[in-house]
Amino acid sequence: MAGPARVLLGQFQPRKNYSPREKPMKSGLHFLVAARQCEIGELEQLMRTSALVNLLGQLIHVLQKERGLSNIYLTSGGLRGAARRQSQIDACKQVEQQARAAFDHLDTGAARIGNGARLFSRIAYVLQGLDALPALRDRITTHATSPEAATAACAKLISGLLAVVFEAADSATDPEISRLLVATFNFMQGKEFAGQERATGATAFGAGVSDATRQQHWLHLIDSQDRCFKVFADFSQPAPLALWHTLCAADGTLAELERLRRIGCTAAVGDALDAELSQVWFDCCTRRMDAMQSVEAHMAADLLRLCESKVTEARTALQSHQTLLDTLAQTSAPPTAASTAPSAAFFDTPPAAGVAPPPQGYGLHLDRSVLELVQEQSQRLQAMRDELDTVRATLNERKLVERAKGLLMAHRRLSEADAYKMLRQTAMNQNRRLVDVAESLLSMADYLQEG
């Protein structure tokens, strides 16, 4: 062995002789304490990230409402919605400043966040969009853009904000927190599709005429919402799911929404639509989205409470480990036959349930306590990893589908909606899962690009 490897390994060669006063080498318990300290650091980071997710949800909500009002303003030639739009812009600016401040307070140390490169890249992208937002607003005010272009531009910014939420969910190392983040992300994504539907319907009714392309996009948005809310239902805790079902059935909003959907989505191409329904549609969708916001707030509160509970639990365990470590360091009990070889407990057969082990000396009892802690920690982490892998599978499937859509959009020059429709139709025709079709397509990416 030569070169850097010899130098590095040389730093860790064991010393053969220690004087009685020298500090002993670290035990397994030292590293168990260090593991708990790492876990607390990860949980505290998750708590900060969860608070950011809550704030981003608020920013997305106010931006969604501004987008809908901008569509009413544009389709009416500035005759409707001007005052409400300006008031909403002011509300957006306030929440935007809070989000910028939250970004500033993030710990950008490279070693602090496992997926920091992706998360910080998403945030950089979002900040570029927020910087460009005043110019977009000016173009809307002066009618220098179309309703469709304004909707797409705002959707691009909101998509960036949702990508930050996705990275937060993907970085979670605790399965319970991860489940809540996955539920939150999918609910927020479904709410964004609902916001795009609100803007699309407002534009359709405001234009006063049925359009085939717009109808197809409208139906795609309805289907996309259903998919997101299904994942939300699979991962949500009972309370927010029950709240969502209650709100869906309340005050007739859903029945009114379905009635207006039928008018807009089933009218023959070229048929006239009642322009006055634009505001009716917007108000109906807004009631529904405000209800969604209350569900988001409920999940955000649950998420923060869970993070706080996990941190408290980990700190209590750390204190217990530290107390045991201090006991081992301070004991001056004379050595016994049992305590001179405490590591033998590692190979001992566990006693039968309910049968206490025989007294074998203070040193061995402590060693058994440490061994039990190590085994419990190992089993707990393995169970967490198994559950986390199950939760992460949903996020990984989304990544594959998004990459496959991007490949189709680039190679076939399709819209996002058409790319997804092609993937879904292929899956139905071949009786395969959507993610399996996406994976097959990605495996042929090099051939597609060459063609």
Side-chain angles (χ1 to χ4, degrees), residues 29 32 320-321 324 368-378:
L29 185 55
L32 196 62
S320 174
H321 296 355
L324 183 57
R368 286 187 183 279
S369 297
V370 175
L371 181 60
E372 288 168 2
L373 286 174
V374 172
Q375 291 174 334
E376 182 275 334
Q377 173 83 333
S378 176

Side-chain angles (χ1 to χ4, degrees), residues 38 75 84 89-90 107 126 129 132 141 166 173 182 193 201 211 300 321 328 358 370 373 392 398 424:
C38 290
T75 54
R84 291 181 66 186
I89 289 173
D90 294 338
D107 186 350
V126 162
T141 300
F166 180 88
T173 53
V182 169
F193 287 133
D211 177 91
H321 296 355
L328 285 170
V370 175
L373 286 174
R392 284 269 176 85
R398 174 184 165 81
R424 187 179 60 176

Side-chain angles (χ1 to χ4, degrees), residues 32-95:
L32 196 62
V33 168
R36 279 292 186 180
Q37 290 170 333
C38 290
E39 184 178 352
I40 290 172
E42 291 174 351
L43 287 169
E44 288 175 338
Q45 181 62 46
L46 272 176
M47 190 156 59
R48 288 189 290 271
T49 303
S50 298
L52 176 63
V53 167
N54 181 27
L55 190 54
L56 293 183
Q58 297 175 38
L59 179 56
I60 289 170
H61 184 68
V62 292
L63 284 170
Q64 288 167 334
K65 194 168 185 179
E66 180 187 342
R67 176 179 56 193
L69 290 168
S70 294
N71 273 269
I72 291 177
Y73 174 82
L74 286 170
T75 54
S76 68
L79 299 177
R80 295 193 302 272
R84 291 181 66 186
R85 173 176 173 263
Q86 185 56 54
S87 176
Q88 189 63 28
I89 289 173
D90 294 338
C92 282
K93 289 179 178 179
Q94 293 180 10
V95 183

Side-chain angles (χ1 to χ4, degrees), residues 66-179:
E66 180 187 342
R67 176 179 56 193
L69 290 168
S70 294
N71 273 269
I72 291 177
Y73 174 82
L74 286 170
T75 54
S76 68
L79 299 177
R80 295 193 302 272
R84 291 181 66 186
R85 173 176 173 263
Q86 185 56 54
S87 176
Q88 189 63 28
I89 289 173
D90 294 338
C92 282
K93 289 179 178 179
Q94 293 180 10
V95 183
E96 178 188 337
Q97 289 306 311
Q98 296 174 30
R100 287 180 179 270
F103 289 148
D104 284 345
H105 284 90
L106 282 179
D107 186 350
T108 53
R112 298 291 184 181
I113 304 177
N115 65 336
R118 298 196 307 273
L119 178 64
F120 296 146
S121 294
R122 301 294 193 188
I123 292 174
Y125 178 83
V126 162
L127 288 173
Q128 290 290 319
L130 291 174
D131 289 342
L133 193 53
L136 173 63
R137 287 169 173 153
D138 288 342
R139 291 201 300 274
I140 293 172
T141 300
T142 59
H143 303 277
T145 187
S146 68
E148 290 79 8
T151 297
C154 194
K156 185 176 181 180
L157 173 57
I158 293 174
S159 176
L161 290 165
L162 285 170
V164 176
V165 177
F166 180 88
E167 294 302 339
D170 201 28
S171 69
T173 53
D174 181 276
E176 287 186 79
I177 296 174
S178 182
R179 287 184 69 87

Side-chain angles (χ1 to χ4, degrees), residues 280-291:
V280 176
W281 164 261
F282 179 84
D283 291 340
C284 177
C285 290
T286 298
R287 290 194 301 273
R288 179 175 180 241
M289 293 188 67
D290 287 345

Side-chain angles (χ1 to χ4, degrees), residues 23 27 34 89 186 229 237 247 290 301 370 403 445:
K23 183 179 179 181
S27 67
I89 289 173
N186 279 278
F229 292 140
Q237 291 186 331
L247 292 172
D290 287 345
V370 175
R403 287 173 55 201

Side-chain angles (χ1 to χ4, degrees), residues 61 187 190-198 218 221-222 224-226 229 244 247-248 250-258 261 281-295:
H61 184 68
F187 192 84
K191 180 168 170 280
E192 165 55 8
F193 287 133
Q196 292 181 29
E197 184 191 7
R198 176 173 61 182
W218 197 336
L221 292 172
I222 294 172
S224 298
Q225 291 172 65
D226 292 341
F229 292 140
W244 171 235
L247 292 172
C248 284
D251 69 20
T253 296
L254 190 58
E256 177 72 355
L257 180 74
E258 292 298 337
R261 278 175 171 175
W281 164 261
F282 179 84
D283 291 340
C284 177
C285 290
T286 298
R287 290 194 301 273
R288 179 175 180 241
M289 293 188 67
D290 287 345
M292 292 180 189
Q293 177 65 9
S294 66
V295 176

